[in-house]
Amino acid sequence: MDYHLSYIVTSLVFLSPFAGYTVAAMFSDRLHLLFGRRGIALFAPSCKCIGYVVIATHPPYPAVVAILAVVGLGNGVADAAWNAWIGQLAHTNQLLGLLHGLYGLGATIAPLIATSMITRAHLGWWTFFYLMSALAAVEIMAGAAAFWTETGAKYTSVNRADGKDRGMTRQALRQKVTWICAVFLLCYVGLEVSLGGWVVTFMIRVRHGEPFPSGMTATGFWLGITVGRVILGFTTPKIGERLAVSVYLLLSVGLELIFWLVPQFIVSAVAVSFLGFFIGPIFPSTIIAVTKLLPSEMHVAAIGFSAAIGGGGAAL
């Protein structure tokens, strides 16, 4: 069963996870206080596993949209937790670059696997989510093993100076830094997801490319993000996050203009790959800026809220 949907209706799969991210933004800090990082390590991938199992049954499209909100909840909780945790460690730029680089690597490999399953093995698109379900199950086991001793009581004692388990979401939302970061990520994630999700259509319809090479441009974009986050993660701390992000943004604007204005397939393909390289480190650099400007007890709430608003960029 194929859904035969318009682009507008299809875009609901981006809007639905945003709802989950929004719920995560409101309750991530409270979940940390109650269950600690151990609870997060169990809860977040469980949400994803449940969502992937449901999608693997190939339900009607409205059910897919609804269950993706649960997946978004899991992703939102994990986003806030692991970005905030790594933001407190030594060598933050390098570690966050590696973390987000692995995200880019997954975004590079997943379409290749899914395409092979559909075109070569002649499987339904939904069978890819059996693999996703299995990976989410592995994440549950790995997270439990890594964070089993990280209880709610331990988190509260370390991240609340007075030892009280009060939430910090309201306090974080009173900080100007939180809102600046949120609006910035709204624009950034919108750009990233729009390029990664629609570049193939653009290359086929506007640049008149064949399906396979057009599909490879998306691979080049996500590979550029992966490499950029890992390599520039070592460069950024040497010149400072503020200057580095400014330079990356200027280069990205130039590459976007080349991609748009030069009507050559190869030029557009190369430009979008380098565009991915330079926008890649912007997200982790923004997270680092938040962890430097806000006290540690606000990190989960502020990063969770910013990531949720960033998810709205994907929907828009």
Side-chain angles (χ1 to χ4, degrees):
M1 178 179 67
D2 293 324
Y3 296 124
H4 303 292
L5 305 171
S6 67
Y7 288 144
I8 294 177
V9 176
T10 302
S11 67
L12 290 174
V13 300
F14 297 106
L15 181 61
S16 178
F18 172 54
Y21 260 86
T22 302
V23 174
M26 297 298 103
F27 295 103
S28 287
D29 189 55
R30 175 57 61 181
L31 289 173
H32 275 76
L33 294 171
L34 292 175
F35 305 110
R37 293 192 179 98
R38 177 175 66 185
I40 300 301
L42 293 170
F43 176 77
S46 295
C47 289
K48 293 185 283 185
C49 189
I50 292 170
Y52 297 149
V53 168
V54 172
I55 295 174
T57 65
H58 198 199
Y61 184 70
V64 174
V65 174
I67 200 63
L68 281 174
V70 178
V71 176
L73 173 61
N75 282 329
V77 170
D79 228 353
W82 308 139
N83 277 293
W85 176 58
I86 293 178
Q88 297 175 1
L89 302 177
H91 308 294
T92 305
N93 275 284
Q94 293 87 337
L95 291 174
L96 276 177
L98 180 61
L99 173 70
H100 290 275
L102 290 173
Y103 164 83
L105 181 62
T108 302
I109 296 174
L112 299 177
I113 297 174
T115 300
S116 297
M117 292 175 68
I118 294 169
T119 60
R120 296 189 178 184
H122 304 290
L123 299 172
W125 61 264
W126 57 90
T127 58
F128 174 71
F129 287 90
Y130 287 114
L131 174 61
M132 296 291 285
S133 302
L135 291 175
V138 171
E139 185 183 353
I140 294 172
M141 294 183 287
F147 294 98
W148 191 256
T149 61
E150 299 294 322
T151 63
K154 182 177 179 180
Y155 179 86
T156 301
S157 65
V158 173
N159 292 278
R160 295 294 186 272
D162 55 8
K164 296 181 180 180
D165 62 345
R166 68 185 190 281
M168 298 297 294
T169 302
R170 290 184 179 180
Q171 289 87 333
L173 293 180
R174 294 192 184 106
Q175 304 297 317
K176 184 170 63 175
V177 172
T178 303
W179 288 96
I180 293 174
C181 175
V183 173
F184 182 78
L185 290 182
L186 173 73
C187 300
Y188 169 80
V189 177
L191 169 66
E192 179 185 273
V193 173
S194 296
L195 276 171
W198 297 102
V199 65
V200 177
T201 302
F202 176 86
M203 296 299 277
I204 291 175
R205 294 195 171 189
V206 179
R207 295 292 182 257
H208 308 294
E210 296 296 321
F212 180 76
S214 297
M216 291 305 294
T217 60
T219 301
F221 171 73
W222 289 110
L223 187 60
I225 283 182
T226 302
V227 175
R229 284 175 173 172
V230 174
I231 292 179
L232 296 180
F234 290 87
T235 303
T236 299
K238 295 181 179 179
I239 61 177
E241 287 82 11
R242 182 178 300 180
L243 177 59
V245 169
S246 298
V247 173
Y248 301 154
L249 285 173
L250 287 174
L251 291 171
S252 297
V253 170
L255 288 164
E256 177 67 25
L257 289 173
I258 293 173
F259 170 76
W260 178 31
L261 296 175
V262 180
Q264 298 286 335
F265 183 93
I266 295 178
V267 173
S268 295
V270 173
V272 81
S273 297
F274 277 102
L275 180 58
F277 180 82
F278 286 110
I279 70 170
I282 292 176
F283 191 104
S285 295
T286 304
I287 299 301
I288 292 169
V290 173
T291 60
K292 287 183 176 180
L293 294 171
L294 293 177
S296 60
E297 60 264 24
M298 291 187 185
H299 287 175
V300 170
I303 292 172
F305 177 78
S306 300
I309 298 302
L316 294 174

